[in-house]
């Protein structure tokens, strides 16, 4: 028995916009103009555009501090991990004798270093989450509330759910 293909056959062509039985082939589906439905950009409570509020927050000292804390962890950690990974690849390529040296039984230096790559990934993930929780999450949440208190972002402030 052949499975039914929901996109094929005369019935599918009849309901598809622009199909042979579509009477409104010249109009876009679901209303709106040629460029799709027209949606007004969100505005803050004071009438300013949302983009203006976001730019103001982005230029503020609190946002710059959060971004600085983020970069202060991510850039060095990424550089260290990339360096560690490249050292592993270079050692495997340029020093195969060292990498083939047995450590315990059939386990050699290359296997230990490869498993250390996985361990490093988990440690780095844990360190990132810990750093975010201790150094950035509260400040980022306060920034979010500041934007929501101005009436931007789909909420009306702290009192709404």
């Amino acid at each position: 028995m052949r499975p039914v293909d929901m996109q094929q056959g005369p019935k599918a062509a009849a309901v598809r916009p622009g199909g042979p039985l579509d009477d409104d082939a010249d109009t876009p589906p679901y209303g709106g103009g040629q460029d799709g439905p027209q949606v007004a950009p969100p505005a803050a409570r004071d009438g300013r555009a949302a983009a203006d509020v976001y730019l103001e927050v982005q230029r503020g000292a609190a946002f710059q501090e959060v971004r600085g804390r983020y970069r202060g962890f991510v850039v060095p950690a990424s550089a260290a991990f990339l360096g560690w990974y490249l050292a592993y690849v270079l050692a495997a390529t340029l020093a195969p004798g060292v990498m083939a040296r047995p450590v315990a039984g059939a386990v050699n230096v290359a296997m230990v270093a490869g498993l250390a790559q996985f361990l490093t990934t988990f440690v780095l993930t844990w360190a990132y989450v810990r750093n975010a929780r201790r150094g950035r999450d509260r400040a980022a949440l306060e920034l979010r509330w500041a934007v929501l208190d101005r009436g931007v972002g789909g909420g009306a402030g702290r009192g709404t759910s």
Side-chain angles (χ1 to χ4, degrees):
M1 181 174 241
R2 208 174 120 207
V4 177
D5 187 2
M6 300 301 284
Q7 296 297 321
Q8 301 298 323
K11 288 184 179 179
V15 297
R16 216 177 300 150
L21 300 178
D22 186 10
D23 293 337
D24 298 327
D26 295 341
T27 60
Y30 312 115
Q34 291 292 0
D35 297 330
Q38 300 299 316
V39 178
R45 278 192 209 128
D46 59 4
R48 293 185 298 163
D52 294 335
V53 174
Y54 288 125
L55 285 173
E56 180 183 321
V57 169
Q58 183 180 8
R59 291 180 186 122
F63 182 84
Q64 295 303 322
E65 182 181 345
V66 170
R67 293 300 295 172
R69 288 180 185 175
Y70 172 78
R71 286 187 200 108
F73 179 84
V74 169
V75 171
S78 298
F81 185 78
L82 184 60
W84 162 227
Y85 174 74
L86 290 176
Y88 174 74
V89 171
L90 288 173
T93 304
L94 301 175
V98 173
M99 297 297 271
R101 186 173 294 148
V103 174
V107 177
N108 60 21
V109 173
M111 292 175 77
V112 172
L115 291 172
Q117 292 281 322
F118 285 105
L119 180 63
T120 304
T121 302
F122 292 118
V123 169
L124 190 59
T125 302
W126 169 80
Y128 175 82
V129 169
R130 183 173 181 261
N131 177 272
R133 193 175 342 112
R134 289 184 170 194
R136 294 188 319 268
D137 285 352
R138 184 174 304 274
L141 186 59
E142 288 300 319
L143 280 171
R144 180 176 183 219
W145 284 123
V147 171
L148 290 176
D149 283 343
R150 294 178 187 186
V152 178
R158 293 178 193 249
T160 61
S161 301

